[in-house]
Amino acid sequence: MKCPYCNHPDTRVIDSRPAEDGSAIRRRRSCDECGKRFTTYEKVETIPLIIIKKDNNREQYNRSKIERGIIRACYKRPVSAEAIQKTVERIEIKIFNLEAKEVSSTDVGEIVMDELKELDEVAYVRFASVYREFKDVNTFMDEIKKMMLDRSKGDK
């Protein structure tokens, strides 16, 4: 593994343990050249998942796109980076649990919105406004009313 600080090609593992969710191995490494330490994660390589976009184009699944969307939706909200990472993990697990080689972006978007609704309602509405392409304030209000109705049903 190449050192991220000095680019030396050889580093050594000083500690290995399962990552929090158990789906990866966390390795603590040390560079023999500069002496700095860093952490890497080792995951099982899966068959590439293809996302079918709304225009029927296909592209390879990209976790960072989901992360960026959630970070954007949570901008200036009281949501920790750790909570965002755990949300992305749950989303990814749900997507891969579909056990399909191709998944529509609509299905991915719905999974993201379900998770965002639990994480932060304002972030959910922000994401939904872009994802569902709200055209005006009435569409916004309809979504908020639906969310409030769902919330009141959950309280009973």
Side-chain angles (χ1 to χ4, degrees):
M1 175 66 61
K2 189 191 311 185
C3 174
Y5 301 104
C6 71
N7 287 324
H8 186 69
D10 294 320
T11 59
R12 60 190 159 90
V13 175
I14 38 183
D15 182 42
S16 286
R17 62 183 66 178
E20 282 182 30
D21 63 357
S23 67
I25 300 291
R26 179 184 181 273
R27 298 198 192 283
R28 195 74 183 130
R29 295 178 176 271
S30 176
C31 177
D32 294 330
E33 189 70 24
C34 70
K36 292 198 176 176
R37 293 181 175 195
F38 58 99
T39 302
T40 60
Y41 290 88
E42 183 178 309
K43 280 185 123 173
V44 172
E45 188 172 43
T46 57
I47 297 169
L49 176 65
I50 302 299
I51 303 297
I52 305 169
K53 307 296 279 183
K54 289 179 184 175
D55 63 2
N56 263 354
N57 281 333
R58 286 165 164 69
E59 64 180 47
Q60 193 166 344
Y61 168 76
N62 184 347
R63 175 191 172 108
S64 65
K65 280 186 153 188
I66 292 173
E67 278 178 320
R68 280 194 309 271
I70 291 174
I71 289 168
R72 220 176 289 129
C74 293
Y75 181 67
K76 290 193 176 182
R77 297 293 305 150
V79 180
S80 70
E82 181 181 350
I84 290 172
Q85 285 306 311
K86 286 183 179 180
T87 300
V88 173
E89 286 291 327
R90 283 192 305 276
I91 291 166
E92 197 168 60
I93 288 167
K94 286 181 179 180
I95 292 168
F96 283 105
N97 281 345
L98 296 173
E99 295 183 2
K101 292 178 182 174
E102 295 186 334
V103 176
S104 75
S105 61
T106 305
D107 292 342
V108 173
E110 293 300 323
I111 291 169
V112 171
M113 286 196 296
D114 287 345
E115 287 294 326
L116 275 176
K117 199 180 286 187
E118 297 298 317
L119 180 67
D120 185 271
E121 290 177 338
V122 172
Y124 163 76
V125 172
R126 285 177 178 169
F127 186 88
S129 71
V130 174
Y131 177 72
R132 293 202 173 130
E133 300 173 349
F134 290 178
K135 302 291 184 225
D136 55 27
V137 174
N138 291 329
T139 316
F140 234 101
M141 291 305 296
D142 291 343
E143 189 67 31
I144 291 171
K145 285 176 187 171
K146 191 168 76 176
M147 192 172 68
M148 297 300 285
L149 185 63
D150 289 347
R151 183 196 282 173
S152 67
K153 285 180 184 176
D155 291 343
K156 292 180 182 177

mmCIF file of all heavy atoms in Angstrom, residues 7-54:
data_model
loop_
_atom_site.group_PDB
_atom_site.id
_atom_site.type_symbol
_atom_site.label_atom_id
_atom_site.label_comp_id
_atom_site.label_asym_id
_atom_site.label_seq_id
_atom_site.Cartn_x
_atom_site.Cartn_y
_atom_site.Cartn_z
ATOM 1 N N ASN A 7 4.224 8.972 -0.593
ATOM 2 C CA ASN A 7 4.105 8.109 -1.779
ATOM 3 C C ASN A 7 5.085 6.946 -1.813
ATOM 4 O O ASN A 7 5.275 6.330 -2.857
ATOM 5 C CB ASN A 7 4.197 8.919 -3.079
ATOM 6 C CG ASN A 7 2.949 9.725 -3.325
ATOM 7 O OD1 ASN A 7 1.844 9.279 -3.019
ATOM 8 N ND2 ASN A 7 3.114 10.919 -3.867
ATOM 9 N N HIS A 8 5.717 6.648 -0.702
ATOM 10 C CA HIS A 8 6.602 5.480 -0.643
ATOM 11 C C HIS A 8 5.753 4.225 -0.889
ATOM 12 O O HIS A 8 4.673 4.087 -0.312
ATOM 13 C CB HIS A 8 7.300 5.418 0.727
ATOM 14 C CG HIS A 8 8.335 4.347 0.836
ATOM 15 N ND1 HIS A 8 9.519 4.389 0.145
ATOM 16 C CD2 HIS A 8 8.341 3.190 1.549
ATOM 17 C CE1 HIS A 8 10.222 3.307 0.430
ATOM 18 N NE2 HIS A 8 9.523 2.566 1.285
ATOM 19 N N PRO A 9 6.237 3.314 -1.732
ATOM 20 C CA PRO A 9 5.396 2.171 -2.125
ATOM 21 C C PRO A 9 5.214 1.097 -1.052
ATOM 22 O O PRO A 9 4.307 0.276 -1.164
ATOM 23 C CB PRO A 9 6.118 1.596 -3.341
ATOM 24 C CG PRO A 9 7.536 2.034 -3.199
ATOM 25 C CD PRO A 9 7.495 3.353 -2.473
ATOM 26 N N ASP A 10 6.037 1.088 -0.016
ATOM 27 C CA ASP A 10 5.934 0.028 0.988
ATOM 28 C C ASP A 10 5.519 0.582 2.346
ATOM 29 O O ASP A 10 6.147 1.485 2.894
ATOM 30 C CB ASP A 10 7.275 -0.699 1.141
ATOM 31 C CG ASP A 10 7.650 -1.464 -0.109
ATOM 32 O OD1 ASP A 10 6.745 -2.064 -0.719
ATOM 33 O OD2 ASP A 10 8.843 -1.447 -0.473
ATOM 34 N N THR A 11 4.442 0.018 2.891
ATOM 35 C CA THR A 11 4.008 0.337 4.247
ATOM 36 C C THR A 11 3.721 -0.986 4.940
ATOM 37 O O THR A 11 3.583 -2.016 4.291
ATOM 38 C CB THR A 11 2.726 1.203 4.235
ATOM 39 O OG1 THR A 11 1.698 0.499 3.552
ATOM 40 C CG2 THR A 11 2.974 2.551 3.566
ATOM 41 N N ARG A 12 3.641 -0.948 6.237
ATOM 42 C CA ARG A 12 3.350 -2.200 6.932
ATOM 43 C C ARG A 12 2.113 -2.047 7.808
ATOM 44 O O ARG A 12 1.798 -0.959 8.296
ATOM 45 C CB ARG A 12 4.544 -2.683 7.734
ATOM 46 C CG ARG A 12 5.041 -1.768 8.794
ATOM 47 C CD ARG A 12 6.394 -2.261 9.355
ATOM 48 N NE ARG A 12 7.056 -1.141 9.970
ATOM 49 C CZ ARG A 12 6.907 -0.810 11.233
ATOM 50 N NH1 ARG A 12 6.156 -1.536 12.021
ATOM 51 N NH2 ARG A 12 7.520 0.236 11.725
ATOM 52 N N VAL A 13 1.425 -3.160 7.995
ATOM 53 C CA VAL A 13 0.214 -3.202 8.805
ATOM 54 C C VAL A 13 0.619 -3.373 10.261
ATOM 55 O O VAL A 13 1.401 -4.256 10.595
ATOM 56 C CB VAL A 13 -0.694 -4.380 8.365
ATOM 57 C CG1 VAL A 13 -1.906 -4.499 9.277
ATOM 58 C CG2 VAL A 13 -1.118 -4.217 6.920
ATOM 59 N N ILE A 14 0.107 -2.485 11.133
ATOM 60 C CA ILE A 14 0.402 -2.615 12.556
ATOM 61 C C ILE A 14 -0.805 -3.100 13.353
ATOM 62 O O ILE A 14 -0.638 -3.591 14.458
ATOM 63 C CB ILE A 14 0.968 -1.307 13.166
ATOM 64 C CG1 ILE A 14 0.315 -0.068 12.599
ATOM 65 C CG2 ILE A 14 2.428 -1.212 13.076
ATOM 66 C CD1 ILE A 14 0.872 1.237 13.115
ATOM 67 N N ASP A 15 -2.007 -3.003 12.759
ATOM 68 C CA ASP A 15 -3.206 -3.482 13.448
ATOM 69 C C ASP A 15 -4.303 -3.743 12.422
ATOM 70 O O ASP A 15 -4.468 -2.968 11.479
ATOM 71 C CB ASP A 15 -3.677 -2.423 14.454
ATOM 72 C CG ASP A 15 -4.889 -2.874 15.252
ATOM 73 O OD1 ASP A 15 -4.926 -4.049 15.669
ATOM 74 O OD2 ASP A 15 -5.797 -2.050 15.455
ATOM 75 N N SER A 16 -5.033 -4.836 12.590
ATOM 76 C CA SER A 16 -6.178 -5.160 11.733
ATOM 77 C C SER A 16 -7.342 -5.537 12.619
ATOM 78 O O SER A 16 -7.170 -6.243 13.614
ATOM 79 C CB SER A 16 -5.872 -6.362 10.830
ATOM 80 O OG SER A 16 -5.005 -6.007 9.814
ATOM 81 N N ARG A 17 -8.525 -5.055 12.240
ATOM 82 C CA ARG A 17 -9.745 -5.432 12.963
ATOM 83 C C ARG A 17 -10.937 -5.184 12.056
ATOM 84 O O ARG A 17 -10.856 -4.394 11.115
ATOM 85 C CB ARG A 17 -9.886 -4.663 14.262
ATOM 86 C CG ARG A 17 -10.002 -3.161 14.094
ATOM 87 C CD ARG A 17 -10.075 -2.453 15.414
ATOM 88 N NE ARG A 17 -8.809 -2.617 16.101
ATOM 89 C CZ ARG A 17 -8.515 -2.095 17.246
ATOM 90 N NH1 ARG A 17 -9.392 -1.369 17.866
ATOM 91 N NH2 ARG A 17 -7.351 -2.280 17.807
ATOM 92 N N PRO A 18 -12.067 -5.839 12.338
ATOM 93 C CA PRO A 18 -13.262 -5.600 11.521
ATOM 94 C C PRO A 18 -13.733 -4.161 11.679
ATOM 95 O O PRO A 18 -13.622 -3.578 12.763
ATOM 96 C CB PRO A 18 -14.308 -6.562 12.097
ATOM 97 C CG PRO A 18 -13.534 -7.539 12.913
ATOM 98 C CD PRO A 18 -12.267 -6.863 13.344
ATOM 99 N N ALA A 19 -14.242 -3.581 10.599
ATOM 100 C CA ALA A 19 -14.810 -2.233 10.670
ATOM 101 C C ALA A 19 -16.125 -2.311 11.445
ATOM 102 O O ALA A 19 -16.635 -3.394 11.716
ATOM 103 C CB ALA A 19 -15.035 -1.684 9.266
ATOM 104 N N GLU A 20 -16.682 -1.155 11.800
ATOM 105 C CA GLU A 20 -17.886 -1.094 12.632
ATOM 106 C C GLU A 20 -19.021 -1.963 12.122
ATOM 107 O O GLU A 20 -19.664 -2.668 12.883
ATOM 108 C CB GLU A 20 -18.375 0.358 12.740
ATOM 109 C CG GLU A 20 -17.592 1.183 13.716
ATOM 110 C CD GLU A 20 -18.141 2.592 13.821
ATOM 111 O OE1 GLU A 20 -19.354 2.789 13.631
ATOM 112 O OE2 GLU A 20 -17.346 3.493 14.096
ATOM 113 N N ASP A 21 -19.296 -1.903 10.816
ATOM 114 C CA ASP A 21 -20.447 -2.639 10.292
ATOM 115 C C ASP A 21 -20.118 -4.085 9.933
ATOM 116 O O ASP A 21 -20.990 -4.838 9.514
ATOM 117 C CB ASP A 21 -21.033 -1.918 9.083
ATOM 118 C CG ASP A 21 -20.073 -1.828 7.909
ATOM 119 O OD1 ASP A 21 -18.917 -2.279 8.051
ATOM 120 O OD2 ASP A 21 -20.471 -1.321 6.853
ATOM 121 N N GLY A 22 -18.867 -4.491 10.086
ATOM 122 C CA GLY A 22 -18.467 -5.867 9.830
ATOM 123 C C GLY A 22 -18.294 -6.231 8.370
ATOM 124 O O GLY A 22 -17.973 -7.367 8.047
ATOM 125 N N SER A 23 -18.486 -5.258 7.474
ATOM 126 C CA SER A 23 -18.385 -5.564 6.045
ATOM 127 C C SER A 23 -17.013 -5.240 5.472
ATOM 128 O O SER A 23 -16.794 -5.370 4.277
ATOM 129 C CB SER A 23 -19.450 -4.797 5.260
ATOM 130 O OG SER A 23 -19.174 -3.413 5.304
ATOM 131 N N ALA A 24 -16.095 -4.806 6.315
ATOM 132 C CA ALA A 24 -14.759 -4.440 5.847
ATOM 133 C C ALA A 24 -13.746 -4.713 6.963
ATOM 134 O O ALA A 24 -14.104 -4.925 8.114
ATOM 135 C CB ALA A 24 -14.719 -2.962 5.458
ATOM 136 N N ILE A 25 -12.484 -4.695 6.572
ATOM 137 C CA ILE A 25 -11.389 -4.823 7.542
ATOM 138 C C ILE A 25 -10.698 -3.464 7.627
ATOM 139 O O ILE A 25 -10.334 -2.880 6.610
ATOM 140 C CB ILE A 25 -10.356 -5.891 7.086
ATOM 141 C CG1 ILE A 25 -11.008 -7.266 6.946
ATOM 142 C CG2 ILE A 25 -9.168 -5.933 8.040
ATOM 143 C CD1 ILE A 25 -11.436 -7.884 8.249
ATOM 144 N N ARG A 26 -10.542 -2.982 8.845
ATOM 145 C CA ARG A 26 -9.841 -1.707 9.087
ATOM 146 C C ARG A 26 -8.397 -2.049 9.392
ATOM 147 O O ARG A 26 -8.121 -2.864 10.278
ATOM 148 C CB ARG A 26 -10.494 -1.013 10.275
ATOM 149 C CG ARG A 26 -9.857 0.293 10.646
ATOM 150 C CD ARG A 26 -10.549 0.816 11.914
ATOM 151 N NE ARG A 26 -10.012 2.079 12.309
ATOM 152 C CZ ARG A 26 -8.945 2.247 13.082
ATOM 153 N NH1 ARG A 26 -8.300 1.200 13.555
ATOM 154 N NH2 ARG A 26 -8.513 3.455 13.392
ATOM 155 N N ARG A 27 -7.488 -1.458 8.646
ATOM 156 C CA ARG A 27 -6.067 -1.716 8.877
ATOM 157 C C ARG A 27 -5.360 -0.409 9.224
ATOM 158 O O ARG A 27 -5.484 0.581 8.525
ATOM 159 C CB ARG A 27 -5.428 -2.320 7.629
ATOM 160 C CG ARG A 27 -6.025 -3.649 7.231
ATOM 161 C CD ARG A 27 -5.088 -4.394 6.295
ATOM 162 N NE ARG A 27 -5.689 -5.532 5.667
ATOM 163 C CZ ARG A 27 -5.904 -6.710 6.228
ATOM 164 N NH1 ARG A 27 -5.552 -6.904 7.475
ATOM 165 N NH2 ARG A 27 -6.457 -7.693 5.558
ATOM 166 N N ARG A 28 -4.609 -0.448 10.297
ATOM 167 C CA ARG A 28 -3.770 0.683 10.690
ATOM 168 C C ARG A 28 -2.393 0.396 10.112
ATOM 169 O O ARG A 28 -1.830 -0.688 10.313
ATOM 170 C CB ARG A 28 -3.727 0.764 12.223
ATOM 171 C CG ARG A 28 -3.221 2.046 12.753
ATOM 172 C CD ARG A 28 -4.252 3.160 12.593
ATOM 173 N NE ARG A 28 -3.637 4.373 13.068
ATOM 174 C CZ ARG A 28 -3.610 5.509 12.398
ATOM 175 N NH1 ARG A 28 -4.209 5.615 11.246
ATOM 176 N NH2 ARG A 28 -3.004 6.550 12.884
ATOM 177 N N ARG A 29 -1.851 1.336 9.364
ATOM 178 C CA ARG A 29 -0.583 1.125 8.675
ATOM 179 C C ARG A 29 0.430 2.183 9.082
ATOM 180 O O ARG A 29 0.079 3.271 9.511
ATOM 181 C CB ARG A 29 -0.781 1.190 7.157
ATOM 182 C CG ARG A 29 -1.658 0.080 6.630
ATOM 183 C CD ARG A 29 -1.868 0.226 5.122
ATOM 184 N NE ARG A 29 -2.619 -0.885 4.594
ATOM 185 C CZ ARG A 29 -2.096 -2.017 4.149
ATOM 186 N NH1 ARG A 29 -0.807 -2.185 4.156
ATOM 187 N NH2 ARG A 29 -2.866 -2.972 3.686
ATOM 188 N N SER A 30 1.703 1.828 8.867
ATOM 189 C CA SER A 30 2.803 2.738 9.157
ATOM 190 C C SER A 30 3.743 2.747 7.960
ATOM 191 O O SER A 30 4.025 1.701 7.370
ATOM 192 C CB SER A 30 3.543 2.266 10.407
ATOM 193 O OG SER A 30 4.665 3.081 10.648
ATOM 194 N N CYS A 31 4.226 3.937 7.611
ATOM 195 C CA CYS A 31 5.167 4.061 6.502
ATOM 196 C C CYS A 31 6.593 3.904 7.037
ATOM 197 O O CYS A 31 6.991 4.586 7.981
ATOM 198 C CB CYS A 31 5.007 5.416 5.826
ATOM 199 S SG CYS A 31 6.200 5.691 4.492
ATOM 200 N N ASP A 32 7.360 3.013 6.412
ATOM 201 C CA ASP A 32 8.747 2.805 6.825
ATOM 202 C C ASP A 32 9.631 3.993 6.451
ATOM 203 O O ASP A 32 10.654 4.233 7.081
ATOM 204 C CB ASP A 32 9.302 1.531 6.180
ATOM 205 C CG ASP A 32 8.602 0.286 6.705
ATOM 206 O OD1 ASP A 32 8.147 0.298 7.866
ATOM 207 O OD2 ASP A 32 8.504 -0.696 5.941
ATOM 208 N N GLU A 33 9.215 4.752 5.455
ATOM 209 C CA GLU A 33 10.022 5.878 4.963
ATOM 210 C C GLU A 33 9.845 7.130 5.827
ATOM 211 O O GLU A 33 10.800 7.667 6.355
ATOM 212 C CB GLU A 33 9.638 6.178 3.506
ATOM 213 C CG GLU A 33 10.529 7.177 2.814
ATOM 214 C CD GLU A 33 11.930 6.639 2.535
ATOM 215 O OE1 GLU A 33 12.126 5.406 2.451
ATOM 216 O OE2 GLU A 33 12.838 7.473 2.402
ATOM 217 N N CYS A 34 8.596 7.607 5.977
ATOM 218 C CA CYS A 34 8.370 8.867 6.704
ATOM 219 C C CYS A 34 7.882 8.658 8.136
ATOM 220 O O CYS A 34 7.841 9.599 8.919
ATOM 221 C CB CYS A 34 7.389 9.764 5.943
ATOM 222 S SG CYS A 34 5.679 9.173 5.903
ATOM 223 N N GLY A 35 7.469 7.429 8.467
ATOM 224 C CA GLY A 35 7.050 7.118 9.829
ATOM 225 C C GLY A 35 5.612 7.494 10.162
ATOM 226 O O GLY A 35 5.139 7.229 11.260
ATOM 227 N N LYS A 36 4.882 8.105 9.214
ATOM 228 C CA LYS A 36 3.499 8.504 9.491
ATOM 229 C C LYS A 36 2.587 7.286 9.449
ATOM 230 O O LYS A 36 2.882 6.289 8.803
ATOM 231 C CB LYS A 36 3.040 9.555 8.490
ATOM 232 C CG LYS A 36 3.789 10.864 8.687
ATOM 233 C CD LYS A 36 3.071 11.996 8.042
ATOM 234 C CE LYS A 36 3.834 13.268 8.382
ATOM 235 N NZ LYS A 36 3.300 14.419 7.760
ATOM 236 N N ARG A 37 1.465 7.423 10.159
ATOM 237 C CA ARG A 37 0.491 6.339 10.220
ATOM 238 C C ARG A 37 -0.798 6.759 9.529
ATOM 239 O O ARG A 37 -1.145 7.940 9.509
ATOM 240 C CB ARG A 37 0.192 5.977 11.674
ATOM 241 C CG ARG A 37 1.389 5.367 12.350
ATOM 242 C CD ARG A 37 1.066 4.989 13.760
ATOM 243 N NE ARG A 37 2.203 4.294 14.345
ATOM 244 C CZ ARG A 37 2.146 3.596 15.447
ATOM 245 N NH1 ARG A 37 1.025 3.496 16.112
ATOM 246 N NH2 ARG A 37 3.223 2.988 15.905
ATOM 247 N N PHE A 38 -1.505 5.776 8.987
ATOM 248 C CA PHE A 38 -2.780 6.044 8.328
ATOM 249 C C PHE A 38 -3.639 4.788 8.370
ATOM 250 O O PHE A 38 -3.166 3.704 8.693
ATOM 251 C CB PHE A 38 -2.578 6.543 6.891
ATOM 252 C CG PHE A 38 -1.816 5.596 6.005
ATOM 253 C CD1 PHE A 38 -2.494 4.748 5.127
ATOM 254 C CD2 PHE A 38 -0.419 5.554 6.021
ATOM 255 C CE1 PHE A 38 -1.804 3.873 4.307
ATOM 256 C CE2 PHE A 38 0.275 4.684 5.193
ATOM 257 C CZ PHE A 38 -0.409 3.840 4.335
ATOM 258 N N THR A 39 -4.903 4.951 8.074
ATOM 259 C CA THR A 39 -5.858 3.846 8.127
ATOM 260 C C THR A 39 -6.368 3.532 6.727
ATOM 261 O O THR A 39 -6.629 4.442 5.938
ATOM 262 C CB THR A 39 -7.062 4.226 9.022
ATOM 263 O OG1 THR A 39 -6.568 4.561 10.322
ATOM 264 C CG2 THR A 39 -8.059 3.097 9.131
ATOM 265 N N THR A 40 -6.506 2.238 6.425
ATOM 266 C CA THR A 40 -7.117 1.804 5.173
ATOM 267 C C THR A 40 -8.256 0.850 5.507
ATOM 268 O O THR A 40 -8.300 0.284 6.603
ATOM 269 C CB THR A 40 -6.113 1.086 4.246
ATOM 270 O OG1 THR A 40 -5.593 -0.062 4.924
ATOM 271 C CG2 THR A 40 -4.966 2.009 3.841
ATOM 272 N N TYR A 41 -9.163 0.704 4.561
ATOM 273 C CA TYR A 41 -10.272 -0.231 4.707
ATOM 274 C C TYR A 41 -10.246 -1.184 3.528
ATOM 275 O O TYR A 41 -10.066 -0.771 2.384
ATOM 276 C CB TYR A 41 -11.615 0.505 4.750
ATOM 277 C CG TYR A 41 -11.789 1.293 6.019
ATOM 278 C CD1 TYR A 41 -11.331 2.607 6.114
ATOM 279 C CD2 TYR A 41 -12.387 0.726 7.131
ATOM 280 C CE1 TYR A 41 -11.473 3.330 7.280
ATOM 281 C CE2 TYR A 41 -12.530 1.437 8.312
ATOM 282 C CZ TYR A 41 -12.075 2.740 8.379
ATOM 283 O OH TYR A 41 -12.217 3.442 9.536
ATOM 284 N N GLU A 42 -10.429 -2.454 3.812
ATOM 285 C CA GLU A 42 -10.425 -3.481 2.783
ATOM 286 C C GLU A 42 -11.838 -4.056 2.714
ATOM 287 O O GLU A 42 -12.388 -4.493 3.723
ATOM 288 C CB GLU A 42 -9.429 -4.565 3.178
ATOM 289 C CG GLU A 42 -9.250 -5.657 2.179
ATOM 290 C CD GLU A 42 -8.213 -6.656 2.656
ATOM 291 O OE1 GLU A 42 -7.102 -6.229 3.031
ATOM 292 O OE2 GLU A 42 -8.526 -7.853 2.654
ATOM 293 N N LYS A 43 -12.444 -4.017 1.510
ATOM 294 C CA LYS A 43 -13.799 -4.531 1.312
ATOM 295 C C LYS A 43 -13.781 -5.611 0.249
ATOM 296 O O LYS A 43 -12.932 -5.595 -0.645
ATOM 297 C CB LYS A 43 -14.728 -3.415 0.817
ATOM 298 C CG LYS A 43 -15.232 -2.496 1.879
ATOM 299 C CD LYS A 43 -16.214 -1.529 1.289
ATOM 300 C CE LYS A 43 -17.502 -1.664 2.043
ATOM 301 N NZ LYS A 43 -18.496 -0.684 1.688
ATOM 302 N N VAL A 44 -14.748 -6.489 0.306
ATOM 303 C CA VAL A 44 -14.899 -7.508 -0.721
ATOM 304 C C VAL A 44 -15.354 -6.818 -1.998
ATOM 305 O O VAL A 44 -16.259 -5.982 -1.980
ATOM 306 C CB VAL A 44 -15.953 -8.564 -0.299
ATOM 307 C CG1 VAL A 44 -16.255 -9.520 -1.427
ATOM 308 C CG2 VAL A 44 -15.490 -9.306 0.929
ATOM 309 N N GLU A 45 -14.718 -7.161 -3.095
ATOM 310 C CA GLU A 45 -15.110 -6.580 -4.371
ATOM 311 C C GLU A 45 -16.343 -7.304 -4.881
ATOM 312 O O GLU A 45 -16.398 -8.533 -4.917
ATOM 313 C CB GLU A 45 -13.970 -6.702 -5.384
ATOM 314 C CG GLU A 45 -14.234 -5.948 -6.650
ATOM 315 C CD GLU A 45 -13.016 -5.936 -7.547
ATOM 316 O OE1 GLU A 45 -12.378 -6.980 -7.691
ATOM 317 O OE2 GLU A 45 -12.723 -4.879 -8.090
ATOM 318 N N THR A 46 -17.338 -6.532 -5.215
ATOM 319 C CA THR A 46 -18.589 -7.115 -5.689
ATOM 320 C C THR A 46 -18.723 -6.919 -7.198
ATOM 321 O O THR A 46 -17.988 -6.133 -7.792
ATOM 322 C CB THR A 46 -19.790 -6.451 -4.995
ATOM 323 O OG1 THR A 46 -19.727 -5.050 -5.227
ATOM 324 C CG2 THR A 46 -19.785 -6.722 -3.506
ATOM 325 N N ILE A 47 -19.671 -7.619 -7.774
ATOM 326 C CA ILE A 47 -19.946 -7.439 -9.197
ATOM 327 C C ILE A 47 -20.427 -6.008 -9.381
ATOM 328 O O ILE A 47 -21.262 -5.528 -8.605
ATOM 329 C CB ILE A 47 -21.042 -8.426 -9.651
ATOM 330 C CG1 ILE A 47 -20.548 -9.854 -9.471
ATOM 331 C CG2 ILE A 47 -21.474 -8.167 -11.081
ATOM 332 C CD1 ILE A 47 -21.623 -10.900 -9.641
ATOM 333 N N PRO A 48 -19.924 -5.320 -10.396
ATOM 334 C CA PRO A 48 -20.323 -3.925 -10.566
ATOM 335 C C PRO A 48 -21.842 -3.795 -10.735
ATOM 336 O O PRO A 48 -22.454 -4.544 -11.490
ATOM 337 C CB PRO A 48 -19.604 -3.455 -11.824
ATOM 338 C CG PRO A 48 -18.744 -4.573 -12.262
ATOM 339 C CD PRO A 48 -19.016 -5.766 -11.425
ATOM 340 N N LEU A 49 -22.408 -2.871 -9.992
ATOM 341 C CA LEU A 49 -23.830 -2.606 -10.067
ATOM 342 C C LEU A 49 -24.047 -1.499 -11.091
ATOM 343 O O LEU A 49 -23.351 -0.488 -11.066
ATOM 344 C CB LEU A 49 -24.339 -2.178 -8.692
ATOM 345 C CG LEU A 49 -25.797 -1.760 -8.589
ATOM 346 C CD1 LEU A 49 -26.714 -2.948 -8.897
ATOM 347 C CD2 LEU A 49 -26.083 -1.228 -7.204
ATOM 348 N N ILE A 50 -25.023 -1.684 -11.956
ATOM 349 C CA ILE A 50 -25.334 -0.689 -12.978
ATOM 350 C C ILE A 50 -26.605 0.047 -12.571
ATOM 351 O O ILE A 50 -27.601 -0.567 -12.188
ATOM 352 C CB ILE A 50 -25.522 -1.362 -14.367
ATOM 353 C CG1 ILE A 50 -24.273 -2.143 -14.769
ATOM 354 C CG2 ILE A 50 -25.919 -0.333 -15.420
ATOM 355 C CD1 ILE A 50 -23.009 -1.310 -14.896
ATOM 356 N N ILE A 51 -26.558 1.368 -12.668
ATOM 357 C CA ILE A 51 -27.720 2.205 -12.368
ATOM 358 C C ILE A 51 -28.334 2.643 -13.693
ATOM 359 O O ILE A 51 -27.640 3.159 -14.570
ATOM 360 C CB ILE A 51 -27.313 3.450 -11.536
ATOM 361 C CG1 ILE A 51 -26.608 3.037 -10.242
ATOM 362 C CG2 ILE A 51 -28.528 4.332 -11.260
ATOM 363 C CD1 ILE A 51 -27.442 2.233 -9.277
ATOM 364 N N ILE A 52 -29.643 2.417 -13.822
ATOM 365 C CA ILE A 52 -30.366 2.839 -15.025
ATOM 366 C C ILE A 52 -30.959 4.211 -14.734
ATOM 367 O O ILE A 52 -31.826 4.356 -13.870
ATOM 368 C CB ILE A 52 -31.481 1.844 -15.396
ATOM 369 C CG1 ILE A 52 -30.907 0.438 -15.547
ATOM 370 C CG2 ILE A 52 -32.195 2.297 -16.668
ATOM 371 C CD1 ILE A 52 -31.953 -0.644 -15.639
ATOM 372 N N LYS A 53 -30.460 5.213 -15.449
ATOM 373 C CA LYS A 53 -30.877 6.595 -15.239
ATOM 374 C C LYS A 53 -32.274 6.824 -15.824
ATOM 375 O O LYS A 53 -32.789 5.999 -16.578
ATOM 376 C CB LYS A 53 -29.881 7.559 -15.891
ATOM 377 C CG LYS A 53 -28.426 7.340 -15.477
ATOM 378 C CD LYS A 53 -28.205 7.589 -14.020
ATOM 379 C CE LYS A 53 -28.064 9.077 -13.804
ATOM 380 N NZ LYS A 53 -27.786 9.462 -12.447
ATOM 381 N N LYS A 54 -32.882 7.972 -15.510
ATOM 382 C CA LYS A 54 -34.224 8.292 -15.997
ATOM 383 C C LYS A 54 -34.288 8.346 -17.526
ATOM 384 O O LYS A 54 -35.310 8.033 -18.115
ATOM 385 C CB LYS A 54 -34.695 9.632 -15.412
ATOM 386 C CG LYS A 54 -35.016 9.543 -13.929
ATOM 387 C CD LYS A 54 -35.443 10.887 -13.386
ATOM 388 C CE LYS A 54 -35.669 10.798 -11.889
ATOM 389 N NZ LYS A 54 -35.964 12.095 -11.297
#
